[in-house]
């Protein structure tokens, strides 16, 4: 065991810390790894070892350590992951063909005690004693505040057939979550913590990951014919001619994880995002003005992009690079520059689609298919989205287990903006005889915003947005709430506070919590602070609770008001107006030049859902006048009355369509005139397609 | 006879059958309305007094479909029931039209005779109905065979690292499926012609004979089908391009769109008649005179100056004592 209060001149530690000492640190390294891995392609086993330097960055004394052994999720059907997913996740269910596991063969303190025998499995989240994805190791001597613990760990990782994110398929390897990874010690006041404790969840079907920042160095030994891509920068390559192997060394500071891929037939292509070339001075000026910073501070930095492409997708290389460029520029200008020097894009092969669409630090997996039509933007959407995770997962390293909306949902919102800005909307994939036909059939195009709202409308109230990933009512609810509903929520927020203010909110949040681990309340704080308004009620109803928002125009009625009949007291006198006299008086009046009938209009608005939010109501009249009213939505309904010389011809709730969260816009408005033309056009259209169906059917006779 | 000749003669027969064409178009349009009317009522109900209707007329906002989620769920039962009724009616009507129109084409009528049409439809109703039911497993088989390339590719390459073999297989699969379905549909048309023109009763035998006939005279029979398929594709593309460019929002453009749509439907309807006309021509040119022990000589019919009485006489002629296939 090695616990000190100052840097120790241990070889391994020094090697690990040296780059950090030389360069300006982006993040305080809490968990740094020196990894060595050798892939045996026959057995699909990675023989590995790691030196872990863990800093007790808390005022607590820590008496044990906890580690994730994620790969044991794929060990058997009894793991929590397999039980929750039913062996089926991300569209694939092949894990049962070949299992995956990780064995820790040794765990000892650097120059000290062997702790291997005291390793034991624990299940902090459930009562599944068969789950082996978390281990605990008591320390012979507790780690004092500020002390570092250096551990040497030996392990073997058997990769599964790609099932969920990680594994192999044929000669393709994607090694993610492949080494023993220490949990996060949360001291009191850190995120939601009341007292110091480990945050080290089991691997669940829906959850992703959470880790401290650190410096990573990895030596990966592969058969020489394999091409490799990995997190960080390549700093060394060593061939062993006798063994026909090559050892590749990568290094990256200030990240939370390390992943790599290998395949002999990859097309390995490189391009550099040259910031000075890709961003125009007016881009920087606009960004600087919007955020009130100097143009120099809006500048982006150069990024070397490596694309590991399947040969059969060779013609899509440009699309991958363009998407990555769009991401680096779009996210960089919005939230601050991408601070790492490299980005690796991985295109998993056919049959390994379960590995596509995944994010690791400076390393993302994309997703496409053979001859993907140019107008179908699946490739661009996935690439921009996974790149976006460098901001909403990596740089702002939230806890994906417990608050998935802070990474997936934020990223859904950001991705929609960047994709729309750079590529527009996507066509539906509709191919006949291999030819894309969407534009010939004039099929509608889809943007991220639209897709988000569609999904949200299907499941508007299944769960609050905020939940632990495994605690949503089902997989679908996890997906809708973590991704799309959050997208709709943030777009609503944007419409309520204005696009510029929202941009400042998002940038402030990103900048303030870069290389930190904020939670949902931190975001709410930034929202209220930057906007200068209180959005707590909105958060409460949609993030912390699952309320339904639906306003509706229930009734609109205009009727003529004539001369009143009856007995009236005025000026000490009593006057009687008979119904006959009233009618006559109306008739005389209507003959007079310039006379206009007086109408009383009643508009009733109803709150159908249980979400209570203030709303604007516009009532438009025949004479062109417009009346605007506000309603706080507190009661179930509100009535507005108007007396005018014109009838109401339309009513509109939320005229600027700020509430994207309103589940039904159709009932938000009323108009007097029936849409005859629409009925005629659609009637004709529907009849036409039905006639075609009938003709097809008659062709079977 | 070449495919082009048969194609031309088929279309000239269709052009002579204007009333039959109109009757067919009208009947199918009515059946289509069985589904279209309730569907449009359900779709438009939430829009009756919504301003969204105006937006939708000028520009179809696909986002509106999301607002429809609740209405669509409750409409499923109604629309499914309407769909089933429409499908059943289509089937019956199609059988009647096939019998009636092929009889008329066979008799080379210049003017539409409702009596002849009805007598043909009635006389051949059961045998064509039987034939159409026999056609169903054939279509299913064609569909299944069409899937073979994909299944094969999946077996061989499914676990592989490349997607292109599956992509190519799926293109071959769609081409093959269309071709096989076309082949079955063509054979069914020839079987109908044989039942009507040859006065046969055995639907199964007629179908088997027709499959063999189409195989023997592949270039003529499938050539006509191919020409019709290409014409359909060409006019389909033209219609889609025109309707896409129209952006119908005014009364006049909406009317124009409806006219365009009905012209296309008329073309498709005429194509059915032309198909039968071509089949009659090819069948007449190549079919061997029936010499079977079980098959009597066809009843002779008058060509050109035909009178309604001829058909009635033919009806009164003794029913051929034919071995009735396998009792189907
Ligand atoms: Zn994501």
């Amino acid at each position: 065991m090695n616990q000190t209060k100052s840097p120790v001149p241990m070889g391994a530690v020094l090697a690990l810390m040296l780059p950090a000492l030389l360069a300006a640190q982006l993040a305080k390294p809490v968990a740094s790894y020196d990894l060595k891995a050798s892939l045996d392609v026959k057995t699909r086993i990675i023989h590995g070892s790691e030196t872990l330097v863990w800093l007790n960055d808390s005022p607590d004394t820590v008496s044990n350590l906890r580690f994730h052994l994620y790969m044991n999720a794929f060990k058997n059907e009894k793991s929590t992951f397999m039980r929750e997913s039913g062996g089926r996740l991300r569209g694939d269910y092949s894990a049962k063909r070949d299992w995956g596991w990780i064995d820790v063969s040794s765990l000892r303190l650097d120059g000290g005690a062997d702790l291997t025998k005291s390793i034991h499995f624990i299940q902090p989240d459930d009562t599944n004693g068969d789950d082996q994805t978390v281990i605990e190791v008591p320390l012979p001597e507790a780690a004092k505040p500020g002390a570092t613990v250096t551990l040497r760990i030996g392990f073997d990782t058997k990769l599964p057939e790609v099932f969920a994110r990680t594994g192999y398929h044929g000669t393709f390897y994607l090694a993610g979550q492949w080494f023993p990874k220490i949990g996060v010690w949360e001291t009191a006041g850190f995120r939601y913590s009341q007292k110091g404790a480990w945050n080290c969840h089991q691997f669940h079907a829906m959850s992703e990951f959470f880790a401290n920042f650190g410096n990573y160095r990895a030596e990966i030994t592969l058969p020489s014919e394999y091409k490799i891509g990995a997190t960080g920068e390549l700093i060394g390559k060593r061939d062993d001619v006798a063994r026909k192997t090559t050892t590749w060394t990568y290094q990256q500071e200030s990240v939370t994880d390390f992943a790599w891929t290998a395949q002999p037939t990859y097309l390995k292509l490189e391009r550099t995002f040259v910031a000075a070339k890709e961003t125009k001075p007016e881009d920087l000026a606009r960004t600087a003005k919007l955020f009130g910073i100097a143009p120099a501070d809006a500048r982006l930095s150069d990024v070397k992009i490596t694309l590991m492409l399947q040969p059969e997708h060779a013609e899509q290389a440009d699309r991958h690079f363009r998407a990555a460029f769009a991401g680096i520029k779009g996210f960089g200008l919005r939230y601050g520059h991408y601070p790492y020097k490299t980005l690796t894009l991985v295109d998993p092969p056919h049959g390994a689609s379960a590995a596509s669409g995944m994010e690791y630090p400076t390393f993302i997996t994309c997703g496409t298919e053979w001859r993907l039509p140019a107008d179908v933007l699946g490739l661009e959407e996935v690439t921009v989205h996974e790149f976006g995770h460098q901001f909403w997962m990596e740089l702002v390293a939230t806890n994906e287990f417990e608050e998935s909306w802070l990474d997936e949902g934020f990223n859904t919102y950001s991705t929609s903006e960047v994709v729309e800005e750079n590529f527009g909307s996507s066509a539906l994939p509709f191919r006949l005889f291999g030819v894309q036909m969407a534009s010939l059939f004039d099929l509608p195009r889809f943007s991220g915003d639209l897709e988000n709202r569609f999904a949200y409308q299907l499941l508007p109230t299944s769960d609050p947005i905020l939940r632990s990933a495994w605690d949503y009512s089902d997989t679908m609810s996890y997906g809708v709430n973590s991704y799309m509903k959050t997208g709709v929520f943030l777009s609503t927020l944007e419409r309520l506070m204005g696009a510029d203010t929202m941009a400042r909110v998002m940038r402030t949040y990103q900048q303030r919590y870069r290389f930190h681990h904020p939670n949902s309340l931190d975001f709410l704080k930034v929202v209220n602070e930057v906007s200068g308004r209180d959005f707590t009620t909105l958060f409460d109803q949609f993030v912390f609770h699952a309320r339904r928002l639906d306003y509706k125009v229930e009734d609109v009625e205009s009727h003529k008001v004539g001369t009143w009949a009856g007995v009236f007291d005025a000026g000490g006198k009593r006057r009687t107006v008979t119904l006959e006299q009233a009618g006559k008086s109306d008739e005389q009046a209507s003959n007079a030049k310039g006379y206009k009938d007086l109408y009383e209009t009643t508009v009733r608005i109803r709150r159908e859902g249980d979400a209570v939010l203030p709303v604007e109501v516009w009532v438009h009249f025949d004479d062109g006048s417009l009346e605007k009213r506000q309603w706080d939505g507190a009661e179930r309904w509100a009535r507005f009355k108007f007396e005018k010389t014109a009838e109401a011809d339309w009513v509109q709730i939320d005229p600027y369509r700020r509430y994207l969260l309103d589940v039904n816009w159709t009932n938000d408005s009323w108009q007097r005139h029936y849409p005859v033309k629409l009925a005629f056009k659609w009637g004709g259209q529907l009849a036409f397609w039905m006639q075609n169906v009938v003709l097809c059917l008659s062709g079977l006779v | 006879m070449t495919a082009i000749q048969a194609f031309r003669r088929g279309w000239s027969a269709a052009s002579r059958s204007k009333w039959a064409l109109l009757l067919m178009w009208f009947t199918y349009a009515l059946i289509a309305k069985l589904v279209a009317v309730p569907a449009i009522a359900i779709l438009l109900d939430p829009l009756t007094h919504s301003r969204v209707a105006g937006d939708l007329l000028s520009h179809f906002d696909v986002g509106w479909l999301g607002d429809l989620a609740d209405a669509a769920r409750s409409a499923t039962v109604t629309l499914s029931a309407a769909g089933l009724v429409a499908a059943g009616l289509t089937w019956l009507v199609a059988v009647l039209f096939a019998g009636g129109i092929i009889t008329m084409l066979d008799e080379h009528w210049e003017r539409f005779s409702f009596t002849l049409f009805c007598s043909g439809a009635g006389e051949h109703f059961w045998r064509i109905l039987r034939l159409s039911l026999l056609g169903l497993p054939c279509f299913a088989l064609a569909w299944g065979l069409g899937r073979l390339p994909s299944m094969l590719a999946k077996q061989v390459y499914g676990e592989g690292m490349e997607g292109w073999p599956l992509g190519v297989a799926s293109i071959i699969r769609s081409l093959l499926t269309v071709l096989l379905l076309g082949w079955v549909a063509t054979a069914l048309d020839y079987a109908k012609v044989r039942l009507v023109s040859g006065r046969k009763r055995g639907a199964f035998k007629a179908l088997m004979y027709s499959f063999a006939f189409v195989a023997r005279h592949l270039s003529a029979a499938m050539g006509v089908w191919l020409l019709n398929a290409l014409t359909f594709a060409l006019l389909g593309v033209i219609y889609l391009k025109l309707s896409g460019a129209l952006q119908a929002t005014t009364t006049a453009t909406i009317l124009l769109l409806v006219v365009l749509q009905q012209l296309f439907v008329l073309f498709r309807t005429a194509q059915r008649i032309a198909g039968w006309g071509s089949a009659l021509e090819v069948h007449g040119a190549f079919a061997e005179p029936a010499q079977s022990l079980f098959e009597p000589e066809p009843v002779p019919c008058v060509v050109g100056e035909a009178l309604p009485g001829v058909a009635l006489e033919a009806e009164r002629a003794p029913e051929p004592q034919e071995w009735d296939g396998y009792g189907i």
Side-chain angles (χ1 to χ4, degrees):
Chain A
M1 191 171 125
N2 176 31
Q3 295 176 16
T4 54
K5 281 174 187 141
S6 57
V8 172
M10 294 290 302
V13 179
L14 195 63
L16 208 60
M17 293 300 177
L18 199 58
L21 295 172
L22 294 175
Q25 285 279 350
L26 293 168
K28 186 177 191 179
V30 173
S32 294
Y33 296 78
D34 190 355
L35 297 152
K36 290 193 173 55
S38 169
L39 174 68
D40 181 337
V41 293
K42 283 205 185 77
T43 58
R44 320 276 193 180
I45 290 176
I46 299 169
H47 302 288
S49 67
E50 71 187 44
T51 302
L52 163 67
V53 180
W54 180 72
L55 166 71
N56 180 5
D57 189 30
S58 78
D60 310 322
T61 300
V62 179
S63 60
N64 58 35
L65 303 177
R66 286 188 183 182
F67 292 83
H68 294 282
L69 299 184
Y70 289 113
M71 207 57 87
N72 277 344
F74 310 111
K75 191 171 181 179
N76 55 46
E77 287 180 327
K78 288 181 163 181
S79 74
T80 290
F81 181 96
M82 294 298 271
R83 285 184 179 192
E84 285 178 355
S85 69
R88 186 170 194 139
L89 195 73
R90 291 169 75 95
D92 208 332
Y93 51 101
S94 55
K96 289 173 190 172
R97 283 187 306 201
D98 196 10
W99 306 102
W101 41 256
I102 177 168
D103 284 343
V104 177
S105 49
S106 68
L107 192 153
R108 55 171 64 232
L109 289 167
D110 188 31
D114 186 347
L115 308 179
T116 318
K117 289 222 164 60
S118 50
I119 297 173
H120 57 277
F121 293 109
I122 56 163
Q123 296 80 27
D125 299 339
D126 59 22
T127 52
N128 178 12
D130 297 311
D131 190 72
Q132 301 186 340
T133 55
V134 178
I135 53 169
E136 190 176 70
V137 191
L139 288 171
E141 199 182 317
K144 299 220 164 57
T148 53
V149 179
T150 303
L151 292 158
R152 293 185 183 278
I153 306 170
F155 62 93
D156 288 319
T157 299
K158 160 75 177 57
L159 293 168
E161 165 92 34
V162 171
F163 163 57
R165 309 181 183 93
T166 185
Y168 72 90
H169 182 73
T171 57
F172 161 80
Y173 291 85
L174 195 298
Q177 313 304 335
W178 55 283
F179 56 94
K181 229 177 135 184
I182 195 161
V184 175
W185 178 264
E186 296 193 327
T187 188
F190 181 90
R191 294 180 63 256
Y192 300 103
S193 219
Q194 308 277 328
K195 62 178 174 57
W198 282 104
N199 191 306
C200 190
H201 291 290
Q202 292 160 249
F203 197 10
H204 294 271
M206 288 308 141
S207 69
E208 291 188 326
F209 315 104
F210 183 42
N212 284 120
F213 286 93
N215 300 326
Y216 285 73
R217 186 176 178 281
E219 281 180 26
I220 300 156
T221 304
L222 299 171
S224 292
E225 71 271 22
Y226 274 73
K227 289 177 186 152
I228 184 173
T231 293
E233 283 177 87
L234 178 67
I235 56 163
K237 181 192 168 199
R238 205 172 58 242
D239 289 319
D240 184 333
V241 182
R243 289 190 178 154
K244 293 183 185 158
T245 60
T246 303
T247 300
W248 308 81
T249 309
Y250 284 85
Q251 182 176 290
Q252 181 59 57
E253 281 170 37
S254 308
V255 288
T256 55
D257 201 357
F258 187 95
W260 55 273
T261 182
Q263 185 188 316
T265 51
Y266 266 136
L267 287 179
K268 190 170 181 174
L269 307 167
E270 285 180 355
R271 258 181 227 180
T272 302
F273 174 89
V274 181
K277 212 176 104 195
E278 299 298 331
T279 45
K280 298 187 200 87
E282 54 264 37
D283 293 330
L284 300 180
R286 202 181 324 114
T287 305
K289 192 177 163 211
L290 177 59
F291 299 118
I293 54 174
D297 293 338
R299 250 187 247 144
L300 308 183
S301 45
D302 295 354
V303 182
K304 187 173 141 195
I305 304 170
T306 307
L307 170 61
M308 313 295 291
L309 192 65
Q310 296 303 319
E312 66 170 346
H313 301 149
E315 93 285 358
Q316 297 173 29
D318 254 351
R319 290 180 66 174
H320 281 88
F321 282 116
R322 257 188 290 133
F325 277 38
I328 295 171
K329 182 177 169 182
F331 278 80
L333 290 178
R334 279 173 174 78
Y335 311 123
H337 81 294
Y338 172 71
Y340 304 112
K341 292 195 178 73
T342 64
L343 173 68
T344 300
L345 312 178
V346 180
D347 171 31
H350 171 81
S353 60
S356 54
M358 188 53 202
E359 68 280 6
Y360 303 92
T362 80
F363 178 102
I364 60 175
T365 66
C366 310
T368 185
E369 61 184 55
W370 179 67
R371 292 189 60 218
L372 184 76
D375 56 355
V376 176
L377 301 180
L379 187 169
E380 285 77 5
E381 278 166 6
V382 175
T383 307
V384 171
H385 177 90
E386 304 314 330
F387 173 76
H389 277 302
Q390 302 302 318
F391 289 74
W392 308 125
M393 173 291 274
E394 179 55 28
L395 293 172
V396 173
T398 49
N399 187 330
E400 298 175 273
F401 288 94
E402 297 174 6
E403 297 178 284
S404 48
W405 78 291
L406 291 179
D407 72 308
E408 293 301 355
F410 276 48
N411 198 19
T412 301
Y413 166 76
S414 308
T415 303
S416 300
E417 281 193 347
V418 174
V419 169
E420 183 84 30
E421 181 180 279
N422 287 277
F423 305 103
S425 52
S426 173
L428 284 172
F430 176 61
R431 280 181 277 195
L432 287 176
F433 310 117
V435 181
Q436 167 71 346
M437 296 277 182
S439 68
L440 178 64
F441 280 81
D442 207 11
L443 296 181
R445 296 176 77 92
F446 285 81
S447 64
D449 263 356
L450 197 63
E451 288 164 11
N452 294 345
R453 190 152 182 275
F454 265 137
Y456 164 66
Q457 281 171 309
L458 284 178
L459 276 187
T461 55
S462 59
D463 275 302
I465 287 176
L466 176 63
R467 267 266 186 278
S468 287
W470 58 92
D471 237 4
Y472 289 96
S473 55
D474 53 30
T475 314
M476 177 107 159
S477 181
Y478 159 78
V480 169
N481 281 286
S482 302
Y483 291 72
M484 292 78 125
K485 186 169 162 186
T486 303
V488 174
F489 175 77
L490 292 177
S491 295
T492 299
L493 204 56
E494 177 190 313
R495 289 170 183 225
L496 288 171
M497 67 170 71
D500 288 356
T501 310
M502 184 66 179
R504 285 192 279 271
V505 164
M506 297 300 276
R507 188 179 178 101
T508 305
Y509 172 67
Q510 165 78 216
Q511 290 291 324
R512 186 173 297 173
Y513 293 105
R514 227 172 222 214
F515 300 111
H516 290 88
H517 310 278
N519 65 11
S520 303
L521 295 174
D522 293 323
F523 178 62
L524 173 58
K525 229 181 287 162
V526 172
V527 167
N528 289 344
E529 177 194 312
V530 176
S531 69
R533 291 163 63 181
D534 188 359
F535 284 99
T536 311
T537 323
L538 188 76
F539 272 67
D540 191 44
Q541 298 186 78
F542 296 97
V543 178
F544 306 125
H545 294 93
R547 297 276 179 87
R548 180 188 174 90
L549 180 63
D550 186 13
Y551 283 111
K552 133 179 178 183
V553 182
E554 189 168 57
D555 195 33
V556 180
E557 201 227 331
S558 290
H559 68 262
K560 222 186 276 185
V561 183
T563 306
W564 302 103
V567 179
F568 301 94
D569 295 323
K573 282 184 183 171
R574 174 159 292 186
R575 192 166 63 92
T576 304
V577 181
T578 64
L579 286 169
E580 226 171 53
Q581 286 168 332
K584 236 179 224 166
S585 150
D586 286 345
E587 205 180 311
Q588 278 168 0
S590 65
N591 289 333
K593 206 178 160 194
Y595 172 81
K596 283 180 181 155
D597 285 326
L598 187 68
Y599 292 91
E600 186 185 65
T601 297
T602 311
V603 175
R604 196 163 67 237
I605 309 297
R606 182 167 283 276
R607 174 167 62 77
E608 294 267 274
D610 50 359
V612 178
L613 289 169
V615 73
E616 196 170 357
V617 182
W618 285 6
V619 184
H620 190 267
F621 294 87
D622 276 340
D623 58 1
S625 60
L626 181 67
E627 297 286 341
K628 299 178 179 180
R629 297 287 183 276
Q630 284 285 338
W631 180 38
D632 60 9
E635 295 292 335
R636 271 289 169 183
W637 57 270
R639 185 161 46 211
F640 303 103
K641 277 183 183 279
F642 307 89
E643 247 185 46
K644 279 180 163 278
T645 54
E647 290 179 76
D649 63 350
W650 58 259
V651 176
Q652 180 73 56
I653 303 173
D654 187 20
Y656 296 110
R657 278 200 172 175
R658 290 193 170 112
Y659 290 127
L660 257 101
L661 284 162
D662 188 315
V663 294
N664 188 348
W665 277 340
T666 305
N667 65 12
D668 282 12
S669 62
W670 175 92
Q671 63 180 6
R672 199 169 64 225
H673 300 292
Y674 187 82
V676 183
K677 271 196 271 185
L678 185 75
F680 190 46
K681 180 179 171 181
W682 281 15
Q685 199 75 268
L686 247 173
F688 170 67
W689 287 109
M690 278 317 300
Q691 278 173 289
N692 278 286
V693 171
V694 165
L695 276 166
C696 283
L697 190 62
S698 77
L700 295 179
V701 171
Chain B
M1 175 171 291
T2 64
I4 294 180
Q5 281 170 329
F7 177 73
R8 270 209 207 124
R9 288 191 197 173
W11 275 95
S12 88
S15 68
R16 283 199 305 275
S17 319
K18 288 183 195 72
W19 283 105
L21 173 64
L22 283 177
L23 184 65
M24 208 164 150
W25 168 78
F26 180 73
T27 315
Y28 285 151
L30 273 187
I31 296 175
K33 298 256 178 329
L34 276 181
V35 181
V37 170
I40 200 75
I42 289 164
L43 276 182
L44 286 178
D45 182 54
L47 287 172
T48 312
H49 281 299
S50 173
R51 293 183 75 216
V52 171
D55 303 340
L56 287 171
L57 183 66
S58 58
H59 172 73
F60 182 74
D61 175 5
V62 66
W64 164 74
L65 292 176
D67 288 4
L68 207 65
D70 289 337
R73 243 172 256 144
S74 58
T76 319
V77 180
T78 318
L79 292 183
S80 309
L84 278 177
V85 172
L89 270 176
T90 304
W91 202 264
L92 290 180
V93 166
V95 170
L96 288 169
F97 272 124
I101 293 177
I102 295 175
T103 302
M104 288 188 48
L105 293 175
D106 190 35
E107 306 280 343
H108 294 273
W109 271 75
E110 289 297 332
R111 280 179 299 109
F112 180 75
S113 153
F114 194 64
T115 323
L116 181 59
F117 172 80
C118 288
S119 83
E123 183 188 346
H124 303 296
F125 178 76
W126 289 109
R127 59 193 71 149
I128 294 182
L129 185 67
R130 283 198 299 267
L131 178 72
S132 71
L133 294 176
L134 284 173
L136 283 179
C138 298
F139 279 118
L141 195 69
W143 183 263
L145 282 175
R147 294 174 64 88
L148 270 184
S150 280
M151 285 159 68
L152 217 70
K154 213 166 183 181
Q155 276 293 316
V156 180
Y157 296 103
E159 300 302 307
M161 305 254 297
E162 290 178 317
W164 71 263
L166 296 181
V168 171
S170 108
I171 295 171
I172 296 174
R173 168 192 155 175
S174 35
L175 283 170
L176 185 66
T177 305
V178 168
L179 202 68
L180 287 171
L181 292 177
W183 183 51
V184 173
T186 307
L188 277 171
D189 277 353
Y190 278 88
K192 271 173 272 187
V193 163
R194 187 164 173 81
L195 288 178
V196 174
S197 173
R199 308 268 159 207
K200 307 290 182 200
R201 291 181 64 198
F204 182 77
K205 239 174 99 177
L207 184 60
M208 290 301 113
Y209 169 85
S210 300
F211 272 119
F213 182 88
V214 171
R216 264 207 310 280
H217 307 288
L218 197 68
S219 65
M222 287 308 283
V224 171
W225 174 81
L226 191 68
L227 285 169
N228 272 315
L230 289 176
T231 321
F232 168 73
L234 182 72
L235 288 182
V237 169
I238 291 173
Y239 164 74
L240 288 171
K241 289 268 177 208
L242 280 178
S243 66
L246 205 55
Q247 295 301 340
T249 50
T250 62
T251 311
T253 47
I254 292 172
L255 261 174
L256 187 59
L257 178 69
V258 171
V259 169
L260 262 179
Q261 288 169 335
Q262 292 314 310
L263 281 177
F264 184 72
V265 172
L266 271 172
F267 151 73
R268 286 199 64 179
T269 316
Q271 208 169 27
R272 291 290 295 143
I273 301 178
W276 293 328
S278 302
L280 269 167
E281 294 289 340
V282 175
H283 186 261
F286 295 118
E288 312 113 43
Q291 295 296 336
S292 160
L293 182 67
F294 302 103
E295 295 188 6
E297 287 290 306
V299 179
C301 62
V302 182
V303 179
E305 282 287 302
L307 296 164
V310 175
L312 295 175
E313 255 173 54
E315 274 233 298
R316 266 183 251 115
E319 278 289 321
Q321 298 298 302
E322 184 193 40
W323 174 56
D324 206 1
Y326 292 101
I328 296 169

